Amino acid sequence: MKKHVVITIGCECGAGGPVIGKMIADSLGIEYFDRDFIDQVVEQAGVSKDVIQKANEAKAVKGRGPGIGDFLGARYEDLTERIIYVQFEVIKKLAEKSSCVIIGRCADYILKDRDDVLNIFVYAPDDDRIEAVMKDHKFNRKQAQAYIEHRDHMLHSRYKYMTGTYRGDRHNRHMLIDSSVLGWRGTAQFIESLIRQRFGDI
């Protein structure tokens, strides 16, 4: 019988995580859920797009409790906790429903107590990330650098706020991999080989 598996992929901006994750999902014939999909499900659950966007673009994070007002501003204080709860529940349900690849959204932390999960973090040298963003968004080098800095700050802040720890911490992942070594497709194939060794028939 095929096994139920969940692959979470966290990544640096421009390192290819979503593309690599889609390659893995397509190769294994399992579901693929990226950040946009999860945000859409959260919105369908009654959280407005405006509030989700403010949560995703948080600039100052000082932790939960008294510092929560610095995250979204006082008017969003209660809704922030609602976003966290809804996102956590959405990811848990997606993981329970079928084998899948989940990109970002603290999925590694949310699913940390499951034994059918493999947590991957994809990174790459700055020059490779800049080139990828320039190509993907038609940016010049300066624009790409600014975009990466913004995205890195946003995602690191969000992860720290949600989990109390850091995105690239090796203790949170089963594998950290530099996608520039094998290229994006080669990285996807390498991760897939690990998945098959870990879980067998998917």
Side-chain angles (χ1 to χ4, degrees), residues 40-197:
Q40 289 171 11
V41 176
V42 171
E43 185 180 352
Q44 290 168 6
V47 179
S48 76
K49 184 178 293 186
D50 177 62
V51 175
I52 294 172
Q53 187 68 15
K54 286 181 182 294
N56 289 342
E57 294 185 356
K59 301 221 175 143
V61 176
K62 296 182 179 179
R64 297 195 184 188
I68 200 169
D70 296 314
F71 182 61
L72 291 178
R75 63 178 291 209
Y76 292 108
E77 185 168 345
D78 293 338
L79 286 175
T80 304
E81 292 300 330
R82 183 182 178 194
I83 293 171
I84 293 171
Y85 174 79
V86 174
Q87 287 186 350
F88 278 34
E89 290 303 304
V90 165
I91 289 172
K92 288 177 182 177
K93 288 177 181 178
L94 292 174
E96 188 64 33
K97 182 179 179 181
S98 63
S99 292
C100 59
V101 174
I102 301 176
I103 305 298
R105 291 296 177 259
C106 307
D108 62 302
Y109 176 81
I110 296 167
L111 305 175
K112 62 184 180 353
D113 294 328
R114 296 181 64 108
D115 59 8
D116 57 356
V117 175
L118 196 64
N119 299 313
I120 310 296
F121 189 82
V122 180
Y123 65 97
D126 288 347
D127 283 345
D128 292 79
R129 297 167 64 200
I130 290 168
E131 290 296 326
V133 169
M134 288 173 63
K135 181 179 179 180
D136 190 39
H137 294 277
K138 311 301 182 188
F139 287 162
N140 60 37
R141 189 173 185 85
K142 186 176 180 179
Q143 290 171 325
Q145 286 177 309
Y147 180 81
I148 288 171
E149 288 175 7
H150 169 73
R151 292 286 299 177
D152 279 351
H153 177 75
M154 179 183 73
L155 293 173
H156 282 304
S157 296
R158 186 181 189 282
Y159 190 90
K160 179 67 183 300
Y161 177 81
M162 295 284 195
T163 71
T165 184
Y166 298 93
R167 293 172 67 232
D169 189 334
R170 68 186 185 279
H171 297 102
N172 300 336
R173 316 284 178 167
H174 298 111
M175 172 189 281
L176 282 73
I177 186 165
D178 180 347
S179 61
S180 72
V181 175
L182 299 175
W184 291 4
R185 182 164 297 280
T187 299
Q189 293 170 343
F190 188 83
I191 294 171
E192 184 179 340
S193 69
L194 173 66
I195 295 166
R196 293 188 182 281
Q197 288 187 57

